Amino acid sequence: MAWAIVALPRQNSAIGREAEWHRGEGKGAGELKAPQREDLVGALKLRFMQNMHRHRGVDWGDVHARLQRSPDPLKPLFEMERTAGEPDVVGAAGEGGAFLFCDCAAESPQGRRSLCYDAAALNSRKLNKPQDSAIEMAASMGVSLLTEAQYRELQQFGEFDLKTSSWVATPPDVRRLGGALFCDRRYGKVFVYHNGAESYYAARGFRGAVSV
């Protein structure tokens, strides 16, 4: 199946320090400083080399070359890393030589949980509103939610969301009726479910992807 966008030691690194400085801030971090860029690229390379099964036949040198292109592709990857997504290349190069980075954390990223599905769902809540929605946060990060097909493809490279669940991009016809889809892995299988789009849970976040 072709992947397409419909788009590390933390404590002592500049990535970890930035995560502490911006905890609860989330959006609009601005330009990355040189130490942050170096730490991020180092973390991405280490993860890439330790998980070659996710991208067999792909050379890090080719990925690194893409990371140096403009506009700066490191910003969305930094946001993915900062919110505990653990981004990594998944699959081979796509059209034009682009690589797809996807959140590969074992569980739904810790820094993106307790979110309803989108802005309309958030605005519909009268009480106990969450801080944000998955769609709006993803847009602010510069990433896209995985589709159900992409989520299932990701699960071929490991076992993800054994204790959590993740919102996935929801078809318009389902969303028009007030619903939204999420997925998880239980009992050795991947499941897709539905919920009211305005719902949110401490164990549900979202997985993002960005093409570089």
Side-chain angles (χ1 to χ4, degrees):
M1 178 182 297
W3 282 68
I5 295 295
V6 184
L8 322 176
R10 294 172 179 272
Q11 291 80 2
N12 297 321
S13 70
I15 296 173
R17 292 194 296 274
E18 186 73 3
E20 291 298 324
W21 296 337
H22 290 279
R23 193 177 304 281
E25 226 172 273
K27 300 178 182 178
E31 295 294 327
L32 299 183
K33 298 179 176 65
Q36 293 169 337
R37 295 172 65 91
E38 292 171 7
D39 282 352
L40 175 59
V41 172
L44 294 174
K45 180 179 180 180
L46 178 61
R47 187 174 298 122
F48 179 94
M49 301 304 294
Q50 291 177 337
N51 296 278
M52 294 301 295
H53 64 285
R54 296 175 184 158
H55 33 256
R56 297 188 190 280
V58 177
D59 185 85
W60 170 253
D62 295 331
V63 177
H64 187 262
R66 298 286 299 192
L67 293 176
Q68 307 308 308
R69 292 162 61 96
S70 185
D72 190 352
L74 289 178
K75 292 180 183 178
L77 291 171
F78 179 86
E79 288 300 308
M80 294 168 82
E81 187 76 22
R82 185 183 67 82
T83 52
E86 301 181 19
D88 194 13
V89 175
V90 176
E95 185 175 353
F99 296 100
L100 189 76
F101 278 84
C102 176
D103 287 311
C104 293
E107 301 296 343
S108 199
Q110 182 67 46
R112 304 180 224 150
R113 299 186 192 174
S114 296
L115 306 170
C116 60
Y117 180 72
D118 59 14
L122 181 63
N123 293 334
S124 73
R125 293 190 67 99
K126 304 303 181 185
L127 298 172
N128 303 317
K129 292 191 177 208
Q131 292 187 349
D132 208 342
S133 72
I135 293 292
E136 294 302 303
M137 181 178 284
S140 75
M141 294 170 60
V143 305
S144 297
L145 266 68
L146 296 188
T147 64
E148 179 188 346
Q150 288 175 329
Y151 186 92
R152 291 182 180 278
E153 184 79 1
L154 174 65
Q155 293 280 2
Q156 295 184 22
F157 297 98
E159 295 186 344
F160 302 96
D161 290 341
L162 296 178
K163 299 177 181 178
T164 57
S165 61
S166 297
W167 289 115
V168 294
T170 297
D173 56 337
V174 175
R175 185 64 194 93
R176 278 195 298 270
L177 296 175
L181 303 182
F182 66 97
C183 295
D184 65 21
R185 187 184 187 104
R186 300 290 192 276
Y187 310 109
K189 295 186 180 297
V190 177
F191 294 90
V192 58
Y193 311 86
H194 59 84
N195 237 163
E198 74 283 355
S199 63
Y200 65 96
Y201 298 92
R204 184 182 305 159
F206 71 88
R207 295 180 181 273
V210 62
S211 186
V212 171

